[in-house]
Amino acid sequence: MPAPDAAGSVPPLFDLSAFPLVRLPMPEPGMEGYGDRWVAEFDLILARESRFVMLSIGPMPEREAHDDRKARMLWLKRRRGDLGRLCLAHLHVEPDPLRRAAMQATVLTAKMAAAFPYPLALFADQDAALERAWTLLRAVPLTL
């Protein structure tokens, strides 16, 4: 997650520089207090009314601060319909084969699939994930 720059301003959590590809950084271990920013920024992404694919890279946090997780989970419940309509997939890159296997066993379960209104997929490298992302994005009209 981005830290404040020299001027003290905090950069966005989501990287939209290649929109409709949305890069989603993983929280740093021990990072707290980003839940409200995450919600506000994701609301702005959905307000675009354009389809997109999320891409995240690296280890997922083992623990998340209770308040941050609660803010994100309440938002996901509230915005589930919009998220399912606009987000084509969440693609995650985990280069480490052991962590990827562990994620495969926990993240890509029927219970997790039911929790999110879009497909989740794991990749060993960023190139493969980007190829899938752009294939998905080329396959549908982006604006509704």
Side-chain angles (χ1 to χ4, degrees), residues 13 16 20 35 45 47 56 60 63 77 80 87 106 126 135 137:
L13 296 174
L16 305 179
I45 293 168
S56 54
M60 292 207 176
R63 298 181 57 89
K77 286 181 182 180
R80 181 179 175 78
C87 183
T106 57
Q126 185 172 324
T135 298
L137 290 164

Side-chain angles (χ1 to χ4, degrees), residues 30 32 50 86 99 132:
E32 294 184 22
S50 291
L86 297 172
R99 281 198 301 249
R132 171 73 63 82

Side-chain angles (χ1 to χ4, degrees), residues 27-101:
E28 306 270 332
M31 183 172 191
E32 294 184 22
Y34 62 87
D36 291 338
R37 273 184 54 216
W38 187 96
V39 165
E41 288 185 30
F42 222 135
D43 277 338
L44 292 174
I45 293 168
L46 295 183
R48 291 174 175 235
E49 285 293 318
S50 291
R51 290 186 175 104
F52 61 93
V53 170
M54 286 188 292
L55 175 68
S56 54
I57 300 173
M60 292 207 176
E62 292 181 23
R63 298 181 57 89
E64 182 176 22
H66 174 75
D67 289 343
D68 294 328
R69 180 171 174 76
K70 182 178 177 181
R72 289 186 329 98
M73 292 302 110
L74 289 173
W75 181 89
L76 285 167
K77 286 181 182 180
R78 193 171 57 250
R79 299 300 305 265
R80 181 179 175 78
D82 294 325
L83 194 55
R85 184 171 53 87
L86 297 172
C87 183
L88 299 175
H90 181 168
L91 312 178
H92 184 78
V93 177
E94 177 49 74
D96 182 271
L98 294 176
R99 281 198 301 249
R100 193 170 56 256

Side-chain angles (χ1 to χ4, degrees), residues 12 14 21 24 79 141:
F14 297 92
L21 180 69
L24 173 65
R79 299 300 305 265

